[in-house]
Amino acid sequence: MLKVSRLSYSYGRKLALDDISFEVQPGRCTMLLGPNGAGKSTLFSLITHLYDSPQGQIEIAGYNLLQQPCQALAKLGVVFQQPTLDLDLSVLQNLRYHAALHGLPRAEADKRIQEMLERLNVSDRRLDKVRTLNGGHRRRVEIARALLHRPALLLLDEPSVGLDVPSRRAMVDHIHALAGDSHMGVLWATHLIDEVSDRDSLIVLHQGKIRAHGSVAGVLQATGSASLDASFRALTEAAA
């Protein structure tokens, strides 16, 4: 669902991403681990077309992002680290507005909205203003919004920031189940190792370079570590 090839990006003389390549497969979560300053935000800005890079290539669901930006971005759903819902609109109004931006007819939009809210257990709050929701419920609404147009690729930029433990655990479990059920590819940036499942693909990004890429078991074996936390520390400390 996502193919990144030989991608680099610089802020002036500072190299933020250095010749990175990877793929995100359908039906799986690919977890992007990295400390602050690793290049995760830069990578997401490039995938969402906020930045362009003269070096490298990005394909979303087979569409080249630079050559076919409308087709590529139509296949993309995003949950940002910072909340982006309109607090003074209701849950339903926020979702209808997003559906309209994607050209969904009202009847189809309302059907999908109801399905997503029921699946995320927030259908009883559909008429409430977003500002009355707690952090966990707001995140569920943002996930519903990102999935309304049925994207091929879902980007999650540290979506659990600010959530309490039960809300975070519920969100992690739901996204993993959703990826498998819908055959959607997920690229999930996080710094919380306990959000990674043994079934996930894993990318460790540090100082703009990919230090490891593969299955969780493969990364553990390659680093000779007994835990993912130890493996992550070995990869990032060795690079430092």
Side-chain angles (χ1 to χ4, degrees), residues 121-182:
N121 297 317
V122 284
S123 61
D124 60 328
R125 306 298 302 271
R126 63 198 303 270
L127 299 180
D128 295 347
K129 286 189 176 182
V130 169
R131 69 169 60 256
T132 68
L133 305 182
N134 61 34
H137 284 151
R138 292 185 191 184
R139 275 300 187 208
R140 294 184 197 184
V141 175
E142 289 185 303
I143 292 168
R145 181 183 61 181
L147 297 173
L148 275 182
H149 60 293
R150 295 176 180 168
L153 175 69
L154 177 64
L155 296 185
L156 300 173
D157 186 7
E158 300 191 13
S160 62
V161 169
L163 298 185
D164 58 35
V165 173
S167 296
R168 183 166 69 87
R169 189 70 259 165
M171 186 201 69
V172 169
D173 291 344
H174 176 74
I175 294 297
H176 278 92
L178 188 66
D181 293 346
S182 64

Short mmCIF file of all heavy atoms in Angstrom, two decimals, residues 121-182:
data_model
loop_
_atom_site.label_atom_id
_atom_site.label_comp_id
_atom_site.label_asym_id
_atom_site.label_seq_id
_atom_site.Cartn_x
_atom_site.Cartn_y
_atom_site.Cartn_z
N ASN A 121 -17.71 2.31 19.08
CA ASN A 121 -18.47 2.48 20.33
C ASN A 121 -18.66 3.94 20.74
O ASN A 121 -18.56 4.28 21.91
CB ASN A 121 -17.80 1.70 21.47
CG ASN A 121 -17.79 0.21 21.21
OD1 ASN A 121 -18.79 -0.35 20.76
ND2 ASN A 121 -16.67 -0.43 21.49
N VAL A 122 -18.93 4.79 19.76
CA VAL A 122 -19.22 6.20 20.08
C VAL A 122 -20.49 6.68 19.37
O VAL A 122 -20.71 7.88 19.25
CB VAL A 122 -18.04 7.14 19.73
CG1 VAL A 122 -16.94 7.04 20.74
CG2 VAL A 122 -17.52 6.88 18.33
N SER A 123 -21.33 5.76 18.90
CA SER A 123 -22.53 6.16 18.16
C SER A 123 -23.49 6.95 19.05
O SER A 123 -24.26 7.79 18.55
CB SER A 123 -23.22 4.94 17.56
OG SER A 123 -23.62 4.04 18.57
N ASP A 124 -23.46 6.71 20.36
CA ASP A 124 -24.34 7.42 21.27
C ASP A 124 -23.93 8.88 21.47
O ASP A 124 -24.68 9.67 22.05
CB ASP A 124 -24.42 6.71 22.62
CG ASP A 124 -23.06 6.60 23.30
OD1 ASP A 124 -22.05 6.48 22.57
OD2 ASP A 124 -23.01 6.62 24.53
N ARG A 125 -22.74 9.25 20.98
CA ARG A 125 -22.26 10.63 21.11
C ARG A 125 -22.31 11.40 19.79
O ARG A 125 -21.77 12.49 19.69
CB ARG A 125 -20.81 10.64 21.64
CG ARG A 125 -20.57 9.86 22.91
CD ARG A 125 -21.36 10.39 24.09
NE ARG A 125 -21.08 11.77 24.40
CZ ARG A 125 -20.11 12.17 25.23
NH1 ARG A 125 -19.34 11.26 25.83
NH2 ARG A 125 -19.93 13.45 25.48
N ARG A 126 -22.99 10.85 18.79
CA ARG A 126 -22.94 11.42 17.43
C ARG A 126 -23.47 12.84 17.35
O ARG A 126 -23.01 13.63 16.51
CB ARG A 126 -23.70 10.51 16.45
CG ARG A 126 -25.17 10.38 16.74
CD ARG A 126 -25.79 9.16 16.03
NE ARG A 126 -25.60 9.18 14.61
CZ ARG A 126 -26.44 9.74 13.75
NH1 ARG A 126 -27.52 10.37 14.21
NH2 ARG A 126 -26.21 9.71 12.46
N LEU A 127 -24.40 13.22 18.22
CA LEU A 127 -24.97 14.57 18.18
C LEU A 127 -24.31 15.52 19.17
O LEU A 127 -24.66 16.70 19.23
CB LEU A 127 -26.48 14.51 18.43
CG LEU A 127 -27.29 13.68 17.42
CD1 LEU A 127 -28.77 13.71 17.78
CD2 LEU A 127 -27.07 14.20 16.00
N ASP A 128 -23.36 15.03 19.94
CA ASP A 128 -22.68 15.86 20.94
C ASP A 128 -21.57 16.69 20.28
O ASP A 128 -20.90 16.22 19.35
CB ASP A 128 -22.06 14.99 22.03
CG ASP A 128 -23.11 14.27 22.85
OD1 ASP A 128 -24.30 14.61 22.74
OD2 ASP A 128 -22.72 13.35 23.60
N LYS A 129 -21.36 17.89 20.80
CA LYS A 129 -20.23 18.68 20.33
C LYS A 129 -18.92 18.01 20.75
O LYS A 129 -18.83 17.44 21.84
CB LYS A 129 -20.29 20.10 20.90
CG LYS A 129 -21.36 20.96 20.25
CD LYS A 129 -21.24 22.42 20.68
CE LYS A 129 -22.24 23.28 19.95
NZ LYS A 129 -22.10 24.72 20.32
N VAL A 130 -17.94 18.13 19.90
CA VAL A 130 -16.66 17.46 20.15
C VAL A 130 -16.02 17.94 21.44
O VAL A 130 -15.39 17.16 22.15
CB VAL A 130 -15.71 17.66 18.95
CG1 VAL A 130 -14.29 17.21 19.28
CG2 VAL A 130 -16.23 16.90 17.73
N ARG A 131 -16.20 19.21 21.79
CA ARG A 131 -15.55 19.74 23.00
C ARG A 131 -16.07 19.06 24.27
O ARG A 131 -15.43 19.14 25.31
CB ARG A 131 -15.69 21.26 23.09
CG ARG A 131 -17.04 21.79 23.35
CD ARG A 131 -16.97 23.29 23.67
NE ARG A 131 -16.41 24.09 22.59
CZ ARG A 131 -15.16 24.59 22.61
NH1 ARG A 131 -14.36 24.36 23.63
NH2 ARG A 131 -14.74 25.34 21.60
N THR A 132 -17.21 18.38 24.20
CA THR A 132 -17.73 17.69 25.38
C THR A 132 -17.18 16.27 25.52
O THR A 132 -17.45 15.61 26.53
CB THR A 132 -19.27 17.61 25.32
OG1 THR A 132 -19.67 16.73 24.25
CG2 THR A 132 -19.89 18.98 25.11
N LEU A 133 -16.43 15.80 24.55
CA LEU A 133 -15.89 14.45 24.58
C LEU A 133 -14.56 14.40 25.32
O LEU A 133 -13.80 15.38 25.31
CB LEU A 133 -15.67 13.92 23.15
CG LEU A 133 -16.85 13.94 22.19
CD1 LEU A 133 -16.43 13.34 20.85
CD2 LEU A 133 -18.03 13.20 22.76
N ASN A 134 -14.27 13.27 25.94
CA ASN A 134 -12.95 13.10 26.54
C ASN A 134 -11.93 12.74 25.46
O ASN A 134 -12.28 12.55 24.29
CB ASN A 134 -12.98 12.03 27.65
CG ASN A 134 -13.38 10.66 27.13
OD1 ASN A 134 -13.08 10.27 26.01
ND2 ASN A 134 -14.07 9.89 27.97
N GLY A 135 -10.66 12.65 25.85
CA GLY A 135 -9.60 12.43 24.88
C GLY A 135 -9.74 11.14 24.11
O GLY A 135 -9.50 11.09 22.89
N GLY A 136 -10.14 10.08 24.80
CA GLY A 136 -10.28 8.80 24.13
C GLY A 136 -11.37 8.81 23.08
O GLY A 136 -11.20 8.27 21.98
N HIS A 137 -12.51 9.44 23.40
CA HIS A 137 -13.60 9.51 22.43
C HIS A 137 -13.24 10.40 21.24
O HIS A 137 -13.62 10.11 20.10
CB HIS A 137 -14.87 10.02 23.11
CG HIS A 137 -15.54 8.99 23.96
ND1 HIS A 137 -16.29 9.30 25.07
CD2 HIS A 137 -15.57 7.64 23.87
CE1 HIS A 137 -16.75 8.19 25.62
NE2 HIS A 137 -16.33 7.18 24.90
N ARG A 138 -12.52 11.48 21.50
CA ARG A 138 -12.09 12.33 20.38
C ARG A 138 -11.20 11.56 19.43
O ARG A 138 -11.30 11.70 18.20
CB ARG A 138 -11.37 13.57 20.91
CG ARG A 138 -12.25 14.53 21.65
CD ARG A 138 -11.49 15.80 22.04
NE ARG A 138 -12.27 16.61 22.96
CZ ARG A 138 -11.89 17.81 23.41
NH1 ARG A 138 -10.73 18.32 22.99
NH2 ARG A 138 -12.66 18.49 24.24
N ARG A 139 -10.29 10.75 19.98
CA ARG A 139 -9.42 9.95 19.13
C ARG A 139 -10.22 8.96 18.30
O ARG A 139 -9.93 8.73 17.12
CB ARG A 139 -8.39 9.20 19.98
CG ARG A 139 -7.16 10.00 20.31
CD ARG A 139 -6.44 10.44 19.07
NE ARG A 139 -5.17 11.06 19.37
CZ ARG A 139 -4.57 11.97 18.62
NH1 ARG A 139 -5.15 12.40 17.51
NH2 ARG A 139 -3.40 12.47 18.96
N ARG A 140 -11.23 8.37 18.89
CA ARG A 140 -12.06 7.43 18.14
C ARG A 140 -12.77 8.14 16.98
O ARG A 140 -12.89 7.58 15.88
CB ARG A 140 -13.10 6.80 19.06
CG ARG A 140 -12.50 5.89 20.13
CD ARG A 140 -13.59 5.23 20.93
NE ARG A 140 -13.08 4.68 22.18
CZ ARG A 140 -13.79 3.98 23.04
NH1 ARG A 140 -15.08 3.75 22.78
NH2 ARG A 140 -13.26 3.51 24.15
N VAL A 141 -13.22 9.37 17.21
CA VAL A 141 -13.87 10.12 16.14
C VAL A 141 -12.86 10.45 15.04
O VAL A 141 -13.18 10.39 13.85
CB VAL A 141 -14.52 11.40 16.70
CG1 VAL A 141 -15.09 12.26 15.57
CG2 VAL A 141 -15.62 11.06 17.69
N GLU A 142 -11.64 10.79 15.42
CA GLU A 142 -10.62 11.09 14.41
C GLU A 142 -10.28 9.85 13.59
O GLU A 142 -10.05 9.94 12.38
CB GLU A 142 -9.36 11.64 15.09
CG GLU A 142 -9.57 13.04 15.63
CD GLU A 142 -8.30 13.65 16.20
OE1 GLU A 142 -7.70 13.04 17.10
OE2 GLU A 142 -7.91 14.73 15.72
N ILE A 143 -10.26 8.69 14.21
CA ILE A 143 -10.03 7.44 13.48
C ILE A 143 -11.19 7.18 12.53
O ILE A 143 -10.99 6.82 11.36
CB ILE A 143 -9.83 6.27 14.46
CG1 ILE A 143 -8.52 6.44 15.22
CG2 ILE A 143 -9.84 4.94 13.71
CD1 ILE A 143 -8.36 5.49 16.40
N ALA A 144 -12.41 7.38 13.00
CA ALA A 144 -13.58 7.21 12.14
C ALA A 144 -13.50 8.14 10.93
O ALA A 144 -13.78 7.73 9.79
CB ALA A 144 -14.86 7.48 12.93
N ARG A 145 -13.12 9.37 11.17
CA ARG A 145 -13.00 10.35 10.07
C ARG A 145 -11.97 9.90 9.04
O ARG A 145 -12.19 9.98 7.83
CB ARG A 145 -12.62 11.72 10.64
CG ARG A 145 -12.50 12.80 9.59
CD ARG A 145 -12.06 14.12 10.20
NE ARG A 145 -10.75 14.01 10.83
CZ ARG A 145 -10.15 15.02 11.46
NH1 ARG A 145 -10.76 16.19 11.55
NH2 ARG A 145 -8.97 14.85 12.01
N ALA A 146 -10.83 9.41 9.52
CA ALA A 146 -9.77 8.99 8.61
C ALA A 146 -10.16 7.79 7.76
O ALA A 146 -9.59 7.58 6.68
CB ALA A 146 -8.51 8.66 9.41
N LEU A 147 -11.14 7.01 8.23
CA LEU A 147 -11.52 5.77 7.55
C LEU A 147 -12.79 5.90 6.71
O LEU A 147 -13.15 4.95 6.00
CB LEU A 147 -11.70 4.65 8.57
CG LEU A 147 -10.45 4.28 9.37
CD1 LEU A 147 -10.81 3.28 10.46
CD2 LEU A 147 -9.38 3.69 8.46
N LEU A 148 -13.46 7.04 6.75
CA LEU A 148 -14.74 7.18 6.07
C LEU A 148 -14.65 6.91 4.57
O LEU A 148 -15.56 6.31 3.98
CB LEU A 148 -15.30 8.58 6.29
CG LEU A 148 -16.10 8.84 7.56
CD1 LEU A 148 -16.60 10.27 7.56
CD2 LEU A 148 -17.26 7.87 7.67
N HIS A 149 -13.58 7.35 3.94
CA HIS A 149 -13.46 7.18 2.48
C HIS A 149 -12.77 5.86 2.11
O HIS A 149 -12.43 5.65 0.96
CB HIS A 149 -12.71 8.36 1.87
CG HIS A 149 -11.31 8.55 2.39
ND1 HIS A 149 -11.05 8.92 3.69
CD2 HIS A 149 -10.11 8.41 1.80
CE1 HIS A 149 -9.74 9.01 3.86
NE2 HIS A 149 -9.15 8.70 2.73
N ARG A 150 -12.61 4.99 3.12
CA ARG A 150 -12.04 3.65 2.93
C ARG A 150 -10.68 3.70 2.24
O ARG A 150 -10.50 3.21 1.13
CB ARG A 150 -13.03 2.78 2.15
CG ARG A 150 -14.31 2.55 2.94
CD ARG A 150 -15.36 1.78 2.18
NE ARG A 150 -16.56 1.60 3.00
CZ ARG A 150 -17.73 1.17 2.54
NH1 ARG A 150 -17.86 0.88 1.26
NH2 ARG A 150 -18.76 1.04 3.36
N PRO A 151 -9.71 4.29 2.93
CA PRO A 151 -8.37 4.43 2.33
C PRO A 151 -7.65 3.09 2.24
O PRO A 151 -7.94 2.15 2.98
CB PRO A 151 -7.66 5.36 3.32
CG PRO A 151 -8.32 5.08 4.63
CD PRO A 151 -9.76 4.83 4.30
N ALA A 152 -6.68 3.06 1.33
CA ALA A 152 -5.82 1.88 1.22
C ALA A 152 -4.71 1.92 2.26
O ALA A 152 -4.20 0.88 2.68
CB ALA A 152 -5.22 1.80 -0.19
N LEU A 153 -4.35 3.14 2.68
CA LEU A 153 -3.25 3.34 3.62
C LEU A 153 -3.69 4.28 4.73
O LEU A 153 -4.23 5.35 4.46
CB LEU A 153 -2.03 3.93 2.89
CG LEU A 153 -0.83 4.32 3.76
CD1 LEU A 153 -0.15 3.07 4.34
CD2 LEU A 153 0.18 5.14 2.95
N LEU A 154 -3.44 3.89 5.97
CA LEU A 154 -3.73 4.74 7.13
C LEU A 154 -2.43 5.13 7.79
O LEU A 154 -1.62 4.27 8.16
CB LEU A 154 -4.62 3.99 8.12
CG LEU A 154 -4.96 4.72 9.43
CD1 LEU A 154 -5.79 5.97 9.15
CD2 LEU A 154 -5.70 3.79 10.39
N LEU A 155 -2.21 6.44 7.95
CA LEU A 155 -1.06 6.95 8.68
C LEU A 155 -1.49 7.36 10.08
O LEU A 155 -2.46 8.10 10.24
CB LEU A 155 -0.46 8.18 7.98
CG LEU A 155 0.13 8.02 6.59
CD1 LEU A 155 0.77 9.34 6.15
CD2 LEU A 155 1.16 6.91 6.53
N LEU A 156 -0.75 6.90 11.07
CA LEU A 156 -1.01 7.26 12.46
C LEU A 156 0.24 7.90 13.03
O LEU A 156 1.29 7.25 13.14
CB LEU A 156 -1.38 6.02 13.28
CG LEU A 156 -2.61 5.23 12.83
CD1 LEU A 156 -2.73 3.94 13.63
CD2 LEU A 156 -3.87 6.07 12.98
N ASP A 157 0.14 9.17 13.40
CA ASP A 157 1.29 9.90 13.91
C ASP A 157 1.16 10.03 15.43
O ASP A 157 0.55 10.97 15.95
CB ASP A 157 1.37 11.28 13.26
CG ASP A 157 2.64 12.03 13.65
OD1 ASP A 157 3.51 11.43 14.32
OD2 ASP A 157 2.77 13.21 13.29
N GLU A 158 1.69 9.02 16.15
CA GLU A 158 1.63 8.98 17.61
C GLU A 158 0.23 9.30 18.11
O GLU A 158 0.02 10.23 18.90
CB GLU A 158 2.68 9.92 18.21
CG GLU A 158 4.10 9.56 17.78
CD GLU A 158 5.18 10.31 18.56
OE1 GLU A 158 4.84 10.93 19.58
OE2 GLU A 158 6.33 10.27 18.13
N PRO A 159 -0.78 8.54 17.68
CA PRO A 159 -2.17 8.89 17.98
C PRO A 159 -2.57 8.70 19.43
O PRO A 159 -3.62 9.18 19.85
CB PRO A 159 -2.97 7.93 17.08
CG PRO A 159 -2.07 6.74 16.95
CD PRO A 159 -0.67 7.30 16.89
N SER A 160 -1.76 7.99 20.21
CA SER A 160 -2.14 7.72 21.60
C SER A 160 -1.64 8.78 22.58
O SER A 160 -1.86 8.66 23.78
CB SER A 160 -1.60 6.35 22.03
OG SER A 160 -0.19 6.32 21.97
N VAL A 161 -0.98 9.82 22.07
CA VAL A 161 -0.48 10.88 22.95
C VAL A 161 -1.63 11.50 23.74
O VAL A 161 -2.65 11.90 23.18
CB VAL A 161 0.25 11.97 22.13
CG1 VAL A 161 0.54 13.19 23.00
CG2 VAL A 161 1.54 11.42 21.55
N GLY A 162 -1.50 11.56 25.05
CA GLY A 162 -2.50 12.18 25.90
C GLY A 162 -3.63 11.28 26.35
O GLY A 162 -4.49 11.71 27.13
N LEU A 163 -3.66 10.02 25.89
CA LEU A 163 -4.73 9.11 26.28
C LEU A 163 -4.37 8.39 27.58
O LEU A 163 -3.20 8.11 27.84
CB LEU A 163 -4.98 8.08 25.18
CG LEU A 163 -5.45 8.59 23.83
CD1 LEU A 163 -5.77 7.41 22.92
CD2 LEU A 163 -6.66 9.50 23.97
N ASP A 164 -5.39 8.06 28.36
CA ASP A 164 -5.14 7.23 29.53
C ASP A 164 -4.90 5.79 29.08
O ASP A 164 -5.12 5.43 27.92
CB ASP A 164 -6.30 7.32 30.53
CG ASP A 164 -7.64 6.91 29.94
OD1 ASP A 164 -7.67 5.99 29.09
OD2 ASP A 164 -8.66 7.50 30.32
N VAL A 165 -4.43 4.96 30.00
CA VAL A 165 -4.02 3.60 29.64
C VAL A 165 -5.15 2.77 29.04
O VAL A 165 -4.98 2.14 28.00
CB VAL A 165 -3.39 2.89 30.86
CG1 VAL A 165 -3.11 1.42 30.53
CG2 VAL A 165 -2.09 3.59 31.26
N PRO A 166 -6.35 2.74 29.63
CA PRO A 166 -7.43 1.95 29.02
C PRO A 166 -7.81 2.42 27.63
O PRO A 166 -8.04 1.61 26.73
CB PRO A 166 -8.59 2.11 30.01
CG PRO A 166 -7.96 2.46 31.30
CD PRO A 166 -6.77 3.29 30.95
N SER A 167 -7.87 3.75 27.42
CA SER A 167 -8.21 4.29 26.10
C SER A 167 -7.14 3.94 25.08
O SER A 167 -7.43 3.59 23.93
CB SER A 167 -8.40 5.80 26.17
OG SER A 167 -9.48 6.15 27.00
N ARG A 168 -5.89 4.03 25.49
CA ARG A 168 -4.79 3.72 24.58
C ARG A 168 -4.81 2.24 24.20
O ARG A 168 -4.63 1.89 23.04
CB ARG A 168 -3.45 4.08 25.24
CG ARG A 168 -2.26 3.87 24.33
CD ARG A 168 -1.03 4.56 24.88
NE ARG A 168 -0.53 3.93 26.09
CZ ARG A 168 0.34 2.92 26.09
NH1 ARG A 168 0.77 2.40 24.95
NH2 ARG A 168 0.78 2.42 27.23
N ARG A 169 -5.03 1.37 25.18
CA ARG A 169 -5.06 -0.06 24.90
C ARG A 169 -6.20 -0.42 23.96
O ARG A 169 -6.03 -1.22 23.03
CB ARG A 169 -5.23 -0.83 26.22
CG ARG A 169 -5.08 -2.32 26.13
CD ARG A 169 -3.64 -2.69 25.86
NE ARG A 169 -3.40 -3.02 24.47
CZ ARG A 169 -2.22 -3.11 23.91
NH1 ARG A 169 -1.13 -2.86 24.61
NH2 ARG A 169 -2.07 -3.43 22.64
N ALA A 170 -7.37 0.21 24.17
CA ALA A 170 -8.51 -0.05 23.30
C ALA A 170 -8.24 0.41 21.88
O ALA A 170 -8.59 -0.28 20.91
CB ALA A 170 -9.76 0.65 23.86
N MET A 171 -7.60 1.57 21.73
CA MET A 171 -7.28 2.07 20.40
C MET A 171 -6.27 1.17 19.69
O MET A 171 -6.42 0.86 18.51
CB MET A 171 -6.73 3.49 20.50
CG MET A 171 -6.51 4.15 19.15
SD MET A 171 -5.33 5.51 19.25
CE MET A 171 -3.83 4.60 19.60
N VAL A 172 -5.24 0.74 20.41
CA VAL A 172 -4.22 -0.13 19.83
C VAL A 172 -4.84 -1.44 19.34
O VAL A 172 -4.59 -1.89 18.22
CB VAL A 172 -3.11 -0.42 20.86
CG1 VAL A 172 -2.18 -1.53 20.37
CG2 VAL A 172 -2.30 0.85 21.12
N ASP A 173 -5.69 -2.04 20.16
CA ASP A 173 -6.33 -3.30 19.78
C ASP A 173 -7.24 -3.11 18.58
O ASP A 173 -7.29 -3.96 17.68
CB ASP A 173 -7.13 -3.85 20.97
CG ASP A 173 -6.24 -4.32 22.11
OD1 ASP A 173 -5.02 -4.51 21.88
OD2 ASP A 173 -6.75 -4.49 23.24
N HIS A 174 -7.98 -2.00 18.57
CA HIS A 174 -8.92 -1.77 17.48
C HIS A 174 -8.20 -1.59 16.14
O HIS A 174 -8.61 -2.15 15.12
CB HIS A 174 -9.78 -0.54 17.76
CG HIS A 174 -10.70 -0.20 16.63
ND1 HIS A 174 -11.82 -0.94 16.34
CD2 HIS A 174 -10.63 0.77 15.68
CE1 HIS A 174 -12.42 -0.42 15.27
NE2 HIS A 174 -11.72 0.61 14.87
N ILE A 175 -7.13 -0.80 16.14
CA ILE A 175 -6.42 -0.55 14.88
C ILE A 175 -5.80 -1.84 14.35
O ILE A 175 -5.85 -2.12 13.14
CB ILE A 175 -5.34 0.53 15.07
CG1 ILE A 175 -6.00 1.88 15.38
CG2 ILE A 175 -4.48 0.65 13.82
CD1 ILE A 175 -6.87 2.43 14.29
N HIS A 176 -5.23 -2.64 15.22
CA HIS A 176 -4.67 -3.92 14.76
C HIS A 176 -5.76 -4.81 14.16
O HIS A 176 -5.54 -5.44 13.11
CB HIS A 176 -3.97 -4.62 15.92
CG HIS A 176 -2.59 -4.13 16.18
ND1 HIS A 176 -2.31 -3.13 17.06
CD2 HIS A 176 -1.39 -4.50 15.65
CE1 HIS A 176 -1.01 -2.90 17.08
NE2 HIS A 176 -0.43 -3.72 16.24
N ALA A 177 -6.92 -4.87 14.80
CA ALA A 177 -8.01 -5.69 14.27
C ALA A 177 -8.52 -5.12 12.94
O ALA A 177 -8.79 -5.88 12.00
CB ALA A 177 -9.16 -5.75 15.28
N LEU A 178 -8.60 -3.81 12.85
CA LEU A 178 -9.10 -3.15 11.64
C LEU A 178 -8.19 -3.41 10.45
O LEU A 178 -8.65 -3.66 9.34
CB LEU A 178 -9.21 -1.65 11.90
CG LEU A 178 -9.89 -0.82 10.82
CD1 LEU A 178 -11.36 -1.19 10.71
CD2 LEU A 178 -9.75 0.66 11.14
N ALA A 179 -6.88 -3.36 10.66
CA ALA A 179 -5.94 -3.60 9.56
C ALA A 179 -6.15 -4.99 8.98
O ALA A 179 -6.19 -5.17 7.75
CB ALA A 179 -4.51 -3.43 10.06
N GLY A 180 -6.30 -5.98 9.85
CA GLY A 180 -6.49 -7.35 9.37
C GLY A 180 -7.82 -7.54 8.69
O GLY A 180 -7.91 -8.22 7.65
N ASP A 181 -8.88 -6.93 9.22
CA ASP A 181 -10.23 -7.12 8.67
C ASP A 181 -10.41 -6.43 7.33
O ASP A 181 -11.12 -6.94 6.46
CB ASP A 181 -11.28 -6.60 9.65
CG ASP A 181 -11.35 -7.42 10.92
OD1 ASP A 181 -10.79 -8.53 10.94
OD2 ASP A 181 -11.95 -6.94 11.90
N SER A 182 -9.81 -5.26 7.16
CA SER A 182 -10.08 -4.44 5.97
C SER A 182 -9.01 -4.55 4.90
O SER A 182 -9.14 -3.95 3.83
CB SER A 182 -10.21 -2.97 6.38
OG SER A 182 -8.97 -2.49 6.90
#
